[in-house]
Amino acid sequence: MLNNKSFRQEAHKLVDWMADFYENIENLPVKSQSKPGDIISQLPEIPPTKGEPFEQVFKDFESIILPGMTQWQSPNFHAYFPANSSYPSVLGEMLTATIGAQCMIWETSPAAAELEELMINWLKPLMNIPSDWTGCIQDTASTATLAAMISAREKKTNWSINQKGFDSQKLRFYCSSETHSSIDKAVKILGAGVENLVKVEVDENLSILPSALETAIAQDIENGLIPCAVVAAVGTTGTLAVDPIDAIGVVCNKYNVWLHVDAAYAGTALMLPEYHNLISGIEKADSFVFNPHKWMFTNFDCTVYFIKDEEALIKTFEILPEYLKTSTRGQVKDYRDWGVPLGRRFRALKLWFVIRDFGVEGIQTRLREHINYADWFANQVNDSDHFEIVIEPKLNVVCFRMINSTKSEQQLEQLNASLVASINNSGKAYLTHTKIKGKYALRMVIGQTYVQKHHVEKAWTLIQSKANALI
Ligand code: PLP
């Protein structure tokens, strides 16, 4: 069993291993090449009765576990959205794990609560979030969105569902077909039911049509239903489509409906003043979520949740068992009342480390680089006879596909699915796909913390050579 002396020795070795890992990460297969059952079949079915030397445990980690990991921190990772890390963030996580605090209330770690408050205060003006809003750090955007939708439910029903459960209310929620699946999940969990999630029509850019939203709300009211909340997306998962917050806000304010903005990925772009127009009209909204754990170089999990009516949130989630009563209550922020879980990790530390290490300008420079690389990539696609852009690229996401005038839509889908599989099986880059108005498209996301132009050039060369092999 490790003791303080051997912990020190092993930890020193581990830090060297970690630095080497980052130095060599781009030589590892980006997508794990493991087959189902590969990992578990190499491990004993029962746990050891006696403790094993850490060297042995670590050897197994390197030889069995590591090959079964997809390398999300590789600069050749262009799939999904990134779940970024960075050197200061990793150091923050090491300290968080070492201190191992459970930060449910101010008294269980005053610095954790106050640093969390400070991070919200730092980010608000940078991102152009209204100064009279507050906020907190949550684990995931899914949880923050759930908190927003439950708060909306309670505010709309004067906290009666919290007290009595659903009676005959038919609460209605609205989003587009492009909005993230966490909204579908939230209506199940909060008890409204998926039948009461209205998918509003979108325009050719896949953004919600405010007129269609207003028609849906008005129709529901006429039918005796209760419009409760709209979830608008700033940067959908498939294509980074942006819903018009200002126009949606006008409709929501008119009908007294909560407006939650899901900017899980693209919210980081608000660190750049030139993108503040993405959330024009935000003052008409009620809540906003974004994930520094996606594009802002901070380890998963770290979600920032901004809210206009802090009291509504706290009134919705407040609990006060005897063992949590403290003398500082009312003078400090007890974040256990700001969302679903009671227990909370010290997530603000890594975010604080990242912002201080990069500096605001350092973050902005890197984001602009990513966006420029995506512009370069989109130009290559545009200049090629074998590929096309499927929808206008936004920020650092380019949706494109291989084309061939002799092939049907279905054959093109098969061709592009084969292309993405052959890229990913090479281990040299990792891309994922989406469907845009029925067309199968590859998504090139250029947002990994340490990605450089030459990685993007290499990916484009790889994509072309894999495409040539399929022609
Ligand atoms: N919203 C959007 C637009 C997303 O793209 C995602 C995940 O990719 C989520 C929400 C869910 O994020 P999380 O994993 O933090 O719950």
Side-chain angles (χ1 to χ4, degrees):
M1 217 191 312
L2 286 165
N3 56 33
N4 192 271
K5 187 166 169 235
S6 54
F7 168 73
R8 186 185 303 277
Q9 288 162 348
E10 294 303 335
H12 277 290
K13 283 196 256 168
L14 261 193
V15 170
D16 277 336
W17 185 94
M18 289 157 72
D20 289 343
F21 172 77
Y22 282 128
E23 213 162 58
N24 299 317
I25 192 168
E26 57 188 275
N27 302 320
L28 297 175
V30 196
K31 184 173 189 290
S32 168
Q33 305 292 302
S34 297
K35 304 275 173 303
D38 270 1
I39 310 301
I40 202 163
S41 64
Q42 296 180 68
L43 296 168
E45 280 176 23
I46 50 166
T49 311
K50 295 196 190 318
E52 299 178 84
F54 186 75
E55 290 85 1
Q56 185 58 46
V57 179
F58 191 72
K59 221 170 111 222
D60 289 350
F61 162 77
E62 269 193 305
S63 62
I64 303 173
I65 303 299
L66 198 58
M69 297 303 293
T70 287
Q71 300 305 338
W72 285 70
Q73 303 315 320
S74 167
N76 301 316
F77 183 99
H78 305 293
Y80 306 103
F81 284 140
N84 277 335
S85 174
S86 62
Y87 294 120
S89 175
V90 171
L91 295 180
E93 283 286 55
M94 285 163 74
L95 291 179
T96 300
T98 303
I99 295 171
Q102 208 277 52
C103 309
M104 57 189 170
I105 52 177
W106 182 88
E107 296 222 354
T108 62
S109 275
E114 295 187 13
L115 197 60
E116 184 162 336
E117 185 175 350
L118 184 72
M119 289 305 93
I120 298 299
N121 293 342
W122 275 12
L123 289 172
K124 268 192 310 181
L126 287 170
M127 300 177 65
N128 221 22
I129 298 295
S131 58
D132 55 344
W133 289 27
T134 54
C136 63
I137 300 182
Q138 305 226 10
D139 53 1
T140 61
S142 303
T143 314
T145 293
L146 176 65
M149 292 168 73
I150 296 178
S151 306
R153 180 193 81 187
E154 288 311 304
K155 198 168 180 180
K156 179 57 81 180
T157 61
N158 199 19
W159 283 268
S160 73
I161 295 177
N162 261 3
Q163 284 304 316
K164 299 180 187 157
F166 273 94
D167 184 3
S168 57
Q169 306 99 326
K170 274 252 173 355
L171 297 181
R172 303 282 276 178
F173 294 83
Y174 309 82
C175 63
S176 83
S177 54
E178 302 300 310
T179 320
H180 190 259
S181 54
S182 52
I183 322 304
D184 301 62
K185 206 185 249 187
V187 287
K188 294 188 200 178
I189 301 170
L190 69 85
V194 281
E195 286 181 9
N196 289 305
L197 179 62
V198 182
K199 299 282 172 98
V200 180
E201 195 187 334
V202 291
D203 63 17
E204 69 283 359
N205 298 315
L206 305 180
S207 309
I208 283 185
L209 275 168
S211 55
L213 174 68
E214 178 153 19
T215 307
I217 290 177
Q219 222 164 50
D220 279 350
I221 293 172
E222 219 175 279
N223 293 334
L225 307 171
I226 308 169
C228 183
V230 173
V231 180
V234 169
T236 57
T237 314
T239 65
L240 288 193
V242 176
D243 293 328
I245 303 303
D246 193 50
I248 293 174
V250 169
V251 176
C252 288
N253 291 177
K254 178 172 168 189
Y255 293 94
N256 191 23
V257 168
W258 185 293
L259 173 55
H260 174 64
V261 178
D262 175 5
Y265 178 73
T268 295
L270 299 173
M271 293 294 284
L272 303 174
E274 62 269 32
Y275 287 100
H276 283 179
N277 59 359
L278 286 175
I279 54 162
S280 294
I282 188 66
E283 66 287 348
K284 299 187 178 81
D286 296 277
S287 50
F288 173 100
V289 67
F290 94 104
N291 285 345
H293 73 226
K294 283 186 158 61
W295 194 15
M296 214 168 96
F297 321 130
T298 308
N299 275 78
F300 185 86
D301 48 4
C302 185
T303 288
V304 169
Y305 179 54
F306 294 116
I307 174 131
K308 181 186 268 173
D309 184 353
E310 171 187 317
E311 257 180 61
L313 176 72
I314 295 174
K315 203 169 157 192
T316 301
F317 288 101
E318 197 172 37
I319 36 101
L320 194 55
E322 189 57 37
Y323 79 104
L324 290 177
K325 287 183 183 158
T326 57
S327 59
T328 51
R329 195 172 157 70
Q331 302 163 47
V332 295
K333 293 203 186 299
D334 288 322
Y335 285 116
R336 62 136 200 268
D337 290 331
W338 290 58
V340 177
L342 168 64
R344 308 179 90 248
R345 299 180 66 227
F346 184 10
R347 298 191 185 88
L349 188 70
K350 58 190 168 185
L351 185 56
W352 187 54
F353 275 26
V354 168
I355 298 175
R356 291 188 66 183
D357 180 73
F358 280 73
V360 172
E361 283 179 11
I363 292 174
Q364 291 173 329
T365 302
R366 207 148 278 229
L367 299 178
R368 290 192 182 108
E369 278 170 7
H370 292 175
I371 294 168
N372 288 339
Y373 300 158
D375 280 350
W376 177 87
F377 184 87
N379 286 336
Q380 307 311 302
V381 174
N382 269 327
D383 290 348
S384 160
D385 293 337
H386 302 299
F387 292 90
E388 69 174 7
I389 296 283
V390 181
I391 194 161
E392 196 197 326
K394 294 229 177 55
L395 298 173
N396 56 344
V397 176
V398 182
C399 297
F400 68 104
R401 66 173 185 167
M402 217 177 143
I403 43 171
N404 184 329
S405 57
T406 65
K407 300 218 182 284
S408 67
E409 237 354 282
Q410 202 186 352
Q411 287 168 325
L412 279 180
E413 174 161 342
Q414 280 162 3
L415 188 66
N416 280 282
S418 305
L419 176 60
V420 80
S422 81
I423 294 164
N424 296 343
N425 290 340
S426 77
K428 292 186 177 142
Y430 186 18
L431 275 74
T432 44
H433 78 278
T434 188
K435 276 234 173 130
I436 304 172
K437 299 177 206 163
K439 290 181 184 168
Y440 185 103
L442 280 68
R443 282 167 82 258
M444 177 76 181
V445 183
I446 305 168
Q448 203 283 322
T449 309
Y450 298 113
V451 65
Q452 291 171 24
K453 176 87 177 286
H454 68 89
H455 298 113
V456 184
E457 289 168 348
K458 208 177 83 181
W460 176 235
T461 305
L462 177 74
I463 292 164
Q464 288 176 101
S465 80
K466 294 292 176 192
N468 282 339
L470 288 172
I471 289 170

